[in-house]
Each structure stands twice: as C-alpha cells, then as structure tokens.
Amino acid sequence: MVDRQEAYNLLCEYTKSESLIKHALAVEQAMRSYAQKFGEDENKWAMVGLLHDFDYEQYPTMQDHPYKGAEILRQKGYPEDIVKAILSHASYTNVERDTLMAKTLFAVDELSGFILACAYVMPDKKIASLSVKSVKKKLKDKAFARSVSRKGINDSIIELDIDLDEHIDFLIKSLSKIADKLGV
C-alpha cells in the first residue's frame, strides 16, 4: 500500500489549485471519519478521498476525468479497489458502486464541497457556525453553489441508506476537525 505522503505528493503534482487541494483534504477527512464509523480501513478510505479528483485540474473533461487518474494510479501500483471506487464517484463512468467505500465516496464528495461553500459565506467564515438547518436551506437555493449536483447528493444518500440530516451533521463535525487546514 502506498503511504499517505506519497498520495499527497501525487495530488500536489497534478493539482495546483488551493481550493481543489482543500476539497481533496475535506473528502479525505470525511472518508476517514466514515471508515472509523463503519469499522473499515481508515488509511485506504482516506487515500480514496484524497485522490478521487487528483487528475481533475489537468484532465477536467468527462472524456478524461477520472479515467486518466485511474490509469496513473494503476501504473503506480495502487490497489484496484481504490481505483474502482475513484472511477465510480463519477456517475457518467457507469462503474458500479458496489462497495461501501465507493458508495461513501459518492456520498461525501459533493456534500463536502457544498459544506465548505456554506462555511465560506458565513459571517465568520467558520464551519463551526454551520448547522444542519443552514446547510439544508442553502441546498434549496439553486443559485448557491450551482455546480453542486443536488440530484447527486440525493442519489448518494439513497445508495448509502443514510438520513440527510444525520449525514450533514456527521460531515460538519468531521470537517470541523481539520478546519484550520481548510481555512474555515
């Protein structure tokens, strides 16, 4: 298994955008927290979160992302379950999300980014100031963070079989643990 520092270096090799790196760190933390909750391999799940979009900045099209990243990960010897989970987070790949790890990545990806966007518009710009209610209110506002797929969020909680309020609360608490790294 590749270690976390090597994975982080790979992320930084392909991703220069501070906001995309923060997104990767947020999804890494969310995946680590859910792995703890589900009794799964924290390091593997965290690595999936950290690397799920590492190729996006250089290969942003649906024809390339996350396919190019999957090729790179395979060349570097990453386990196939990590590669498959990363491929499956983009619904258009038609790679089945048939593991708890893949379903969880799908469930935390969009919503983690959305929660960060919500924190950035708080008066104090702090994730700790967010509530489930405030996040849900922003979800209803289609003009806010319009690139975030509300359908994807709804589909993901159905796939993972979790309650939206509990999921939002869990992610706020999880991301609060690394608020300093996320700038919120």
Side-chain angles (χ1 to χ4, degrees):
M1 182 66 132
V2 180
D3 72 13
R4 198 261 182 204
Q5 188 60 51
E6 288 178 47
Y8 183 75
N9 291 345
L10 182 62
L11 170 69
C12 292
E13 178 183 341
Y14 284 84
T15 306
K16 304 304 177 202
S17 163
E18 184 180 341
S19 64
L20 285 176
I21 290 174
K22 286 179 180 179
H23 173 67
L25 294 173
V27 177
E28 174 190 30
Q29 176 62 29
M31 288 295 288
R32 182 177 301 284
S33 294
Y34 266 115
Q36 290 169 354
K37 179 178 180 172
F38 296 144
E40 297 290 339
D41 184 334
E42 287 179 45
N43 293 324
K44 180 180 277 193
W45 281 46
M47 194 168 300
V48 166
L50 186 65
L51 293 174
H52 78 286
D53 278 343
F54 86 94
D55 66 332
Y56 182 76
E57 191 173 272
Q58 291 191 19
Y59 304 105
T61 66
M62 288 174 59
Q63 292 78 22
D64 290 334
H65 169 73
Y67 304 108
K68 295 285 188 184
E71 289 173 27
I72 294 164
L73 293 174
R74 285 182 177 123
Q75 289 169 359
K76 293 188 172 291
Y78 280 78
E80 190 60 26
D81 60 339
I82 287 177
V83 175
K84 187 175 178 193
I86 289 171
L87 282 167
S88 75
H89 91 278
S91 295
Y92 58 83
T93 65
N94 293 316
V95 173
E96 185 179 359
R97 287 182 287 273
D98 57 1
T99 65
L100 186 57
M101 181 170 63
K103 290 175 184 178
T104 304
L105 176 61
F106 184 53
V108 303
D109 181 23
E110 291 281 328
L111 192 53
S112 292
F114 190 83
I115 288 171
L116 287 180
C118 290
Y120 295 142
V121 299
M122 294 300 289
D124 63 0
K125 299 189 181 333
K126 298 292 180 192
I127 198 166
S129 298
L130 290 176
S131 66
V132 171
K133 183 178 178 181
S134 65
V135 172
K136 286 180 76 174
K137 183 177 179 182
K138 289 289 189 190
L139 274 171
K140 291 178 185 172
D141 179 357
K142 303 297 185 215
F144 179 78
R146 70 179 49 164
S147 65
V148 172
S149 170
R150 274 65 169 175
K151 181 182 181 326
I153 290 171
N154 287 330
D155 290 350
S156 73
I157 63 168
I158 292 168
E159 280 186 35
L160 194 56
D161 193 24
I162 54 176
D163 176 77
L164 179 60
D165 288 12
E166 290 174 19
H167 185 45
I168 292 170
D169 184 59
F170 186 85
L171 288 179
I172 290 170
K173 289 175 180 169
S174 174
L175 299 181
S176 292
K177 294 175 185 174
I178 62 163
D180 57 326
K181 290 180 185 175
L182 301 175
V184 290

